Amino acid sequence: MILEIDGLNFRYPDAPKKAVDSFSLQVPESEIVVLAGASGCGKSTLLRAINGLIPHMYAGDYSGDVRVGGSSVKASSMRELAQRVGFLFQNPENQIFMFTVERDIAFGLENLGVPRQEMRRRVDEAIGLLGIGSLAQRAPYELSDGQKQRVALAGVLAMRPKLIILDEPTSLLDPKTALDFVDLVANLRKDVGATFLIVEHRLDLLVKVADRMVVMSSGRKVLDGSPSEVLMGDEADGFGVSIPAVSRVQKLLAKDGLAGVDRLYDAEEVAAIRQRERR
Amino acid sequence: MMWLSGGFIFRSGNSRFHRLDPRVKLLISILTFATALIARYIYEIGLVVAFILVVAAAATVLTRIARTMALTATFSAFIFVVNFLFTRNLESSSLYAFRFVAIVVSTSLFFVTTTPDELERVMKMFRLPRDVVFAFVTAVRFVPVMMLDALQIMDAQKSRGLELDKGNILRRARNMIPILIPLVVNAVVRSGELAEAMESRAYGASERPTSLVEYRAKRVDKVVALAAVVVFLLAAYSFYSLLAPIAL
């Protein structure tokens, strides 16, 4: 297990109720897990408890245990955690610090004091993985949103984390760029074997690549299963999860016994069933 | 304030002068600055300015430097008037006014040809604390971002009926408040997100952070630095004022 969360509770100072409530989750290595739920359900807090910003940067009532790669987040330093857990924040603009792409990718490694040669190797590797060689000498303001996203992710990858958290990575991207980004994540999982925990509202983009879906509501874990289990079930709707249109149609077809619910169909399959029925 | 930003913000260029080591560019700037300070006659200041203009032309930033000069003129005229009112000395007043132009332009030459990256390097060489250097880097890095922010806020407030360019100066200043408050609030939120991202990327984790890029002075840098010093000494000697107290 790369990530083990045991009965985590967290309450911000002066908050009336817990932001994360008796939350447990086990994630095996190189799985892609999608975390969904309405805004304010505690997703962001949970993510911060995994990469150590909670409790190291934000104080509050903390109980339970989070372990990444076997060691407790609470007992680890931010220095160790920065190398174990990569965090791609929602707005890439606010995580690019340097004036050139290349130097920004090196930012974390510079902070850790990694020797220059090793740093060069890792930066080039991250640039190669994301296919942003042509951007290496650009300034942040010369980049599009999609490019900024890749640069920020390269900075995360250069640290070679085992677990990578993506917080609503496509929220600022246009549909085509968003789709490319999802493909990129799938390829990265193959190439570097990292585990991904992705918070995302646009589930239609992710159903293809996700191994698992976890739904949160009021700080608790309410659903946990394969994408088909979660999306074909009856509960997801009630927790503010946007079920992809195709899956809705599949569900309706399943009611009439025209489709299965053991896996998610894509638009073509659903259309094929409709056509068959018409004839 | 606009003239300041115009003449002091780097825009990419790729002349020989741009490619010099930032330390050498800083040295040239400081030396021309110093020469302007020790000059005792207007024609001497004229020589300094001419020198800067020649360098600026070689660095393909002549138009920007010229614009800085033109914009400095207002302030310099003010200096002239104030000086003249108090001293009633035409010569010294105009010397002060011209000297001001020379000083601004020599500083501007450094800033318009030096990337923020290089500025950071220079700051590190002066062994400024890492936090100070990083604060500077972040400030410069987010200038274009905040400018976009400001434009968006202006559009939003205008669409809600805010009339920015109406009324007298006081009124206009007051009109800026609905722009400034959201801008500051945005900046505060942004700084929180920056702090999180910095923590997540191990900022401050090591006592001795390393650097991806290695900077070494090339031979051309050394030659130019030496030439700059020689020219400065010659100028100082010809002004024969190195040891004499600065006139005026």
Side-chain angles (χ1 to χ4, degrees), chain A residues 9-20 59-62:
Chain A
N9 290 289
F10 185 77
R11 194 169 61 86
Y12 288 102
D14 304 323
K17 58 182 194 133
K18 296 175 191 169
V20 174
D61 293 341
Y62 184 102

Side-chain angles (χ1 to χ4, degrees), chain B residues 127-140:
Chain B
R127 309 211 167 249
L128 290 172
R130 185 165 162 76
D131 286 346
V132 172
V133 178
F134 190 73
F136 167 80
V137 168
T138 316
V140 179

Side-chain angles (χ1 to χ4, degrees), chain A residues 48 51 53 56-58 78-79 81-83 85 87 89 91-100 102-116 119-120 123 140-142 152 155-156 159, chain B residues 10-12 115-118 120-121 124 130 134 136-142 144-145 148 189-215:
Chain A
R48 280 158 181 75
N51 98 320
L53 288 173
H56 295 293
M57 189 171 159
Y58 299 107
M78 275 315 280
R79 181 196 165 89
L81 286 165
Q83 299 172 73
V85 186
F87 200 130
F89 292 85
N91 188 351
E93 186 83 76
N94 295 343
Q95 47 196 316
I96 298 176
F97 303 103
M98 293 294 153
F99 302 111
T100 60
E102 185 182 79
R103 288 208 55 204
D104 188 75
I105 296 172
F107 180 76
L109 302 172
E110 289 186 352
N111 288 332
L112 291 170
V114 172
R116 184 171 292 131
M119 183 150 48
R120 173 48 69 190
V123 167
Y141 58 82
E142 297 174 309
V156 167
M159 308 281 270
Chain B
F10 172 80
R11 251 177 256 144
S12 58
T115 65
D117 228 20
E118 290 175 324
E120 180 209 356
R121 198 191 333 164
K124 276 188 181 157
R130 185 165 162 76
F134 190 73
F136 167 80
V137 168
T138 316
V140 179
R141 151 79 179 89
F142 281 96
V145 179
L148 273 182
V189 170
R190 193 183 292 286
S191 69
E193 291 182 17
L194 276 171
E196 286 192 330
M198 282 163 67
E199 283 288 327
S200 305
R201 284 170 77 191
Y203 180 80
S206 169
E207 286 293 309
R208 255 181 279 157
T210 42
S211 175
L212 176 69
V213 195
E214 190 181 22
Y215 301 103

